[in-house]
């Protein structure tokens, strides 16, 4: 644990604090890393299930491979943009 200065009131704040105890300014702390990890996990799970759905679709509808891959790529790009 390290101490840092609050960007708002310049008071001493723990780097793990979610907000400044003096003024309430949101610091972030370790919660940001956990949030990012859960967003990445959700994205990985979604891509996994979408890949399974695309594979299943190409088995039963072989002519739709190009459209399926294009749609999957567009969806992954849109999800990545949302998570940033």
């Amino acid at each position: 644990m390290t101490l840092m200065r609050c960007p708002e009131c310049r008071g001493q704040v723990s780097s793990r604090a979610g907000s400044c105890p003096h003024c309430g300014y949101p610091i972030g702390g370790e919660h940001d890393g956990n949030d990012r990890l859960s967003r990445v996990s959700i994205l990985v799970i979604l891509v996994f299930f979408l890949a399974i759905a695309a594979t299943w679709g190409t088995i039963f509808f072989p002519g739709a491979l190009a459209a399926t891959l294009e749609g999957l790529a567009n969806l992954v790009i849109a999800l990545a943009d949302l998570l940033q």
Side-chain angles (χ1 to χ4, degrees):
M1 177 184 85
T2 60
L3 292 177
M4 57 184 271
R5 292 215 179 265
C6 171
E8 186 72 20
C9 70
R10 307 299 293 163
Q12 292 286 331
V13 183
S14 166
S15 60
R16 291 183 166 180
S19 62
C20 176
H22 308 289
C23 67
Y25 185 82
I27 301 295
E30 62 189 39
H31 300 291
D32 287 340
N34 292 337
D35 253 359
R36 181 75 176 156
L37 180 62
S38 65
R39 288 180 181 177
V40 169
S41 299
I42 290 171
L43 181 62
V44 167
I45 291 170
L46 284 174
V47 168
F48 176 75
F49 281 115
L50 288 171
I52 289 175
T55 303
W56 182 78
T58 57
I59 289 171
F60 292 103
F61 306 103
L65 176 61
T68 301
L69 291 177
E70 182 182 356
L72 179 61
N74 289 335
L75 186 57
V76 169
I77 290 169
L79 287 173
D81 287 341
L82 281 175
L83 295 177
Q84 288 183 350

